[in-house]
Amino acid sequence: MVTAGSGAPLVMLHGWPETWYAWRKLIPLLAERYRMIMPDLPGLGESSRPPSYDKKSIGADLGEMCAELGLDCFHLVGHDWGGPSAFALACAIPQAVKTLSVLDVTIPGIGPDISQGGRRWHHAFHMTPELPEALTAGREREYLGWFYREFSWQRDAIAPADLVEYLRSYGKPGAMRSGFEYYRTLPLDKEHNRAILDSGWRLPMPVLALGGARTEARGRGEEPLESLRAIASNVTGGAIADCGHFIAEEQPEILAERLLGHFAG
């Protein structure tokens, strides 16, 4: 876990195929006002590798982390798989989450399909037992490099040095498998979230839902906003222009401005 800055606590959860390092460009933009707490998600980066990665369990683990850190009131941001994980944490301890921000992902089972009806082809591939590990072993640079390129509208957002850092983490034994496990629990994630939706419960805190406007670079546009509106009472958001999937790295200044406004509001 990496921390930076001082002020009100801000917990930031990255996605796949990334680590806490995804937030590096936001640190100088937010750290003067907020104490940024940036853990590696379970199984990823420097975290341990538990056998299960359903988001409800991850939310419970993150809740324990927050309790250990004495975080009884904090802002919460999640991108990619960090979004459903942040949602699970907000459902587990809603009284502690001052605001929730979800970046370029929908909540599994709520609103637009997280796999976009198969357009996110890698979801099905990653859910296949054992095969992705076998086919990507020793080819992490080629495989992950494709995502960093093709999911970014701003092609220089993830530089060669950044690629080296991500490959350092995902080249470790078991790291690719841990990433694939996030996808393999999708059916269970959907089941958990639909039960929350069907119960009539809604997120009580203000929610910001943002997507990348460039769908050709796999940005989700307004889908995150549509998804969160189905489960939260107070939701704002929309699409970030000239941006694909990796919002924090492609448009950090715009994202920081939107986050600061959301936190202050």
Side-chain angles (χ1 to χ4, degrees):
M1 176 169 52
V2 172
T3 62
S6 60
L10 166 59
V11 176
M12 309 189 77
L13 306 178
H14 67 87
W16 184 93
E18 300 191 293
T19 65
W20 76 267
Y21 186 74
W23 307 116
R24 66 195 178 282
K25 296 181 182 180
L26 287 179
I27 291 175
L29 303 176
L30 301 178
E32 288 187 2
R33 304 188 197 183
Y34 294 93
R35 176 190 171 203
M36 302 172 68
I37 300 157
M38 299 164 283
D40 285 330
L41 286 178
L44 305 181
E46 305 301 320
S47 292
S48 61
R49 310 201 192 285
S52 177
Y53 296 88
D54 73 89
K55 310 314 168 292
K56 183 176 181 180
S57 298
I58 289 174
D61 290 344
L62 292 169
E64 293 179 4
M65 177 198 77
C66 292
E68 292 174 1
L69 294 174
L71 303 179
D72 55 8
C73 185
F74 56 91
H75 300 282
L76 178 60
V77 179
H79 171 250
D80 190 82
W81 279 124
S85 300
F87 173 76
L89 176 57
C91 291
I93 52 171
Q95 72 284 354
V97 178
K98 190 171 183 180
T99 67
L100 171 65
S101 301
V102 175
L103 308 178
D104 210 67
V105 70
T106 60
I107 305 304
I110 300 177
D113 177 24
I114 191 171
S115 301
Q116 294 181 322
R119 182 169 179 260
R120 240 93 169 159
W121 61 268
H122 62 288
H123 286 204
F125 177 55
H126 292 179
M127 291 172 71
T128 306
E130 301 181 5
L131 183 62
E133 291 91 328
L135 294 182
T136 60
R139 302 178 179 88
E140 293 85 0
R141 174 178 292 274
E142 292 77 11
Y143 189 65
L144 298 183
W146 185 88
F147 288 93
Y148 301 132
R149 292 191 308 273
E150 299 302 319
F151 280 52
S152 298
W153 180 253
Q154 305 291 338
R155 288 301 181 96
D156 60 346
I158 298 176
D162 304 324
L163 178 62
V164 169
E165 170 59 21
Y166 286 135
L167 291 174
R168 182 191 68 80
S169 291
Y170 281 89
K172 292 181 178 180
M176 293 295 284
R177 181 198 64 81
S178 295
F180 299 143
E181 288 294 331
Y182 274 78
Y183 296 83
R184 290 169 179 156
T185 59
L186 254 176
L188 184 57
D189 297 334
K190 291 179 179 179
E191 180 182 326
H192 289 157
N193 294 336
R194 285 170 181 158
I196 295 172
L197 182 66
D198 292 343
S199 74
W201 186 83
R202 296 292 182 268
L203 290 168
M205 72 288 296
V207 176
L208 177 67
L210 298 171
R214 290 290 185 171
T215 58
E216 61 268 59
R218 278 70 173 188
R220 290 183 180 267
E222 304 248 340
E223 287 186 1
L225 181 61
E226 184 179 347
S227 177
L228 271 299
R229 278 178 171 166
I231 192 64
S233 302
N234 179 3
V235 186
T236 57
I240 301 293
D242 296 321
C243 188
H245 175 62
F246 296 109
I247 297 176
E249 289 162 301
E250 295 186 66
Q251 296 289 0
E253 292 83 6
I254 294 175
L255 176 58
E257 182 180 357
R258 297 296 298 271
L259 289 175
L260 289 170
H262 182 52
F263 301 157

